Amino acid sequence: MVVKAYPLGMVRVMNNNGIGEDEGDSGVEPYVGLEFDTAEEAREFYNSYATRTGFKVRTGQLYRSRTDGTVSSRRFVCSKEGFQLNSRTGCPAFIRVQRRDTGKWVLDQIQKEHNHELGGHVEETTPRPSVQQRAPAPTKLAISVPHRPKMKVVDEADKGRSCPSGVISFKRFKGAEESDVQTQQHKATEPHAGLEFGSANEACQFYQAYAEVVGFRVRIGQLFRSKVDGSITSRRFVCSKEGFQHPSRMGCGAYMRIKRQDSGGWIVDRLNKDHNHDLEPGKKNAGMKKITEDVTGGLDSVDLIELNDFSNHMNKTRENTIGKEWYPVLLDYFQSKQAEDMGFFYAVELDSNGSCMSIFWADSRSRFACSQFGDAVVLDTSYRKGDYSVPFAMFIGFNHHRQPVLLGGALVADESKEAFSWLFQTWLRAMSGRRPRSIVADQDLPIQQAVAQVFPGTHHRFSAWQIRSKERENLRSFPNEFKYEYDKCLYQTQTTVEFDTMWSALVNKYGLRDNMWLREIYEKRENWVPAYLRASFFGGIPVNGTFEPFYGTSLNSLTSLREFISRYEQGLEQRREEERKEDFNSYNLQPFLQTKEPVEEQCRRLYTLTIFRIFQSELAQSYNYLGLKTYEEGAISRFLVRKCGNENEKHAVTFSASNLNASCSCQMFEYEGLLCRHILKVFNLLDIRELPSRYILHRWTKNAEFGFVRDVESGVTSQDLKALMIWSLREAASKYIEFGTSSLEKYKLAYEIMREGGKKLCWQR
């Protein structure tokens, strides 16, 4: 049923009896599945229901599409939701409507229970002015600017009172009155950290009024959005002379930043009152666009711009989240590193005005590590999860001990496609053009576009934290039974066909065919569903996508410029020391054998300790499985391998006797580069005593750190082979230098070894 609500400015048609034709709908209670033509109709319907029930409504969060930025869902909440005013009790009552592809809005989440007493039928106790249209807001801002009244639609409760000229009436909510009182309390107050506001609009108006008193003009600066729901989490209001994009600007550092609290209010969390230019007390902020507030919360959905001759230019100028004080410090650091490390690489992105934007750097050790472990890469942008002062991103690989290794660091100026494209291209240039086979990165559209452009053919896997966050947001109102079956569908299906079948059954069972979020993530299933990821190599990154942060807690949202470089160096050295320890252990410790199989001894000799233990576990597990040949034609055989005592756990293994190729439906080798228990079982049945060389990846061996390639048949191109040889020799030479300069005796020994090696190279020429 489509509930008919009455948009603002429309009059209900009355029949001859004076009763609204759609009066029957007025008694409908909200329920999941209820449809509306527009979100505005849903709001009016909920207002009508609230009036009958005895509470008042506010418009809550909105959610935007990651694809085109349009509003995809809205929440309407009880006016007592949150705690930012004394009158509020944190009431959980709400409805959420979601836009379908048809353009209709459907109610998909609801909470009817309130945590406060309901007032019965809500009557309006103050005279209600009749209005034809919204009154224009004043263009000039004083020290205290009253908010435009919030509006409430009259429903059947008002049928006893007629509206003059058939015009719908409005009244001011109590919450708006309290907001005005709060604004008055800010009057003549200077901004300071901890100052609270009821809305971002209120903060903007306050800062403009303060600016007029002090003597400067205000621009709306950068905004930051939540990666969970796209809502704005913080805003900056800056002096109009901030930046250098126009000759009138002089890089003034004065600003006020507000941050949205969980309660819905806003608080000043950062502030700089110092200007680098003369002030003109009484200067009006006439150049600001008139601020309007709609039901979504004003600044949460309206981006304000400065109205002057250069507004078009400013719209095209990219924002920069990197403080200007970072550039000289980092460039000085890079130059000092380059003096001691010939392989140190760094680059700075410049915008169309020649201003510094993003920065990338990598030392020779990171560049060499990429030649070995750059086949599966994680772009770690953890700074985007919270309010980090440093937009520090990292390229992370996983070495032959399954430890994270740094493959480059960056400060990202903004989150545009241009920024990430430049970052990926620069990383590729620093790493001799070797593209990764797979990359784990966030699912935001600019990143998806940049990956597709710079890394064609690379499998882009979405970051696990974003997927988990979206699941918590969109599935929180679903029953536990659904969540259990949802997890089972994700993590217990082995093939793409099995996943698709179970997913279809799941959404049909719970009537979720039209759930927009489930439809969107299903369309992107190749980028996050384990069954679709297993066919690509991800170098030891767990299927669930979780891994230990490279820097742990040493680099966080509170890390200052002064501490950043020292903590960066300390954390990097600590990680590399851990790698050296594992190298030492792999060469000097020998794990016990659990079987008498020659393949176990072969792999103990070649693999690092960490990798060997994984292989050894798979080999031991293979004894718990039975293998049955189900098909044979020529050199091709197929086997069904199932676990003893568990008929449900079974996999198909295909084997070619002509070249000893084997593949398993579990795809462990494709995903991790290690043979699974099922193939090992078939090898045992066929009396294959040693693993073919193709199944022992060089990246998992003890010698992987040396980058030694035995022949061109290792699966690399001639370009890759040359790059690998360059970095291998550079790394070996750097170790000669490192150890050869520790004493005069070692210097003489290192020099003699290199001189003798040089003679042989000359002789071979």
Side-chain angles (χ1 to χ4, degrees), residues 37 102 111 145 175 271 356 376 414 455 460 496 581 622 637 664:
D37 289 331
T102 59
Q111 171 64 265
V145 181
L271 181 70
C356 294
D414 63 4
F455 301 137
H460 178 192
T496 57
K581 288 179 180 178
S622 69
S637 303
C664 179

Side-chain angles (χ1 to χ4, degrees), residues 495-565:
T495 66
T496 57
V497 173
E498 187 179 348
F499 169 81
D500 290 339
T501 302
M502 188 173 291
W503 180 275
S504 180
L506 180 65
V507 295
N508 285 333
K509 177 179 178 180
Y510 289 91
L512 298 172
R513 278 287 175 193
D514 295 325
N515 184 286
M516 183 176 296
W517 182 75
L518 290 176
R519 289 175 60 182
E520 286 179 356
I521 62 170
Y522 180 73
E523 289 173 0
K524 294 288 185 180
R525 58 193 180 277
E526 293 182 357
N527 301 102
W528 67 282
V529 174
Y532 280 88
L533 298 175
R534 290 193 182 97
S536 299
F537 181 74
F538 278 93
I541 302 172
V543 173
N544 61 13
T546 58
F547 52 88
E548 181 185 359
F550 187 84
Y551 278 97
T553 58
S554 60
L555 289 179
N556 53 45
S557 60
L558 301 177
T559 304
S560 64
L561 171 60
R562 183 177 59 185
E563 300 173 313
F564 177 80
I565 293 176

Side-chain angles (χ1 to χ4, degrees), residues 75 137 143 190 527 534 537 684:
R75 282 168 57 96
I143 193 70
E190 285 204 357
N527 301 102
R534 290 193 182 97
F537 181 74
N684 181 267

Side-chain angles (χ1 to χ4, degrees), residues 606-722:
L606 297 174
Y607 283 147
T608 62
L609 283 177
T610 301
I611 301 304
F612 174 72
R613 290 190 181 107
I614 298 172
F615 171 82
Q616 191 178 51
S617 174
E618 291 296 315
L619 181 63
Q621 287 292 332
S622 69
Y623 288 96
N624 297 324
Y625 286 75
L626 296 174
L628 176 66
K629 183 183 290 186
T630 59
Y631 172 86
E632 183 174 10
E633 182 176 341
I636 304 298
S637 303
R638 291 197 182 96
F639 295 81
L640 179 66
V641 181
R642 65 175 180 84
K643 190 172 185 178
C644 299
N646 187 349
E647 294 289 339
N648 295 324
E649 188 174 336
K650 53 190 176 182
H651 290 276
V653 175
T654 303
F655 176 76
S656 173
S658 60
N659 53 15
L660 301 184
N661 274 349
S663 63
C664 179
S665 59
C666 78
Q667 296 181 305
M668 179 176 173
F669 183 77
E670 288 80 0
Y671 184 84
E672 298 191 41
L674 291 168
L675 284 180
C676 62
R677 60 194 67 177
H678 317 109
I679 291 180
L680 292 174
K681 182 63 182 181
V682 171
F683 280 2
N684 181 267
L685 292 174
L686 298 175
D687 199 30
I688 296 175
R689 314 294 287 175
E690 285 198 348
L691 301 186
S693 60
R694 70 173 66 88
Y695 294 118
I696 299 180
L697 300 189
H698 180 69
R699 75 171 332 276
W700 297 134
T701 66
K702 299 175 184 180
N703 294 327
E705 64 170 339
F706 299 113
F708 180 73
V709 179
R710 288 165 291 184
D711 50 53
V712 185
E713 295 179 0
S714 300
V716 297
T717 65
S718 58
Q719 180 185 359
D720 288 344
L721 180 63
K722 183 175 181 180

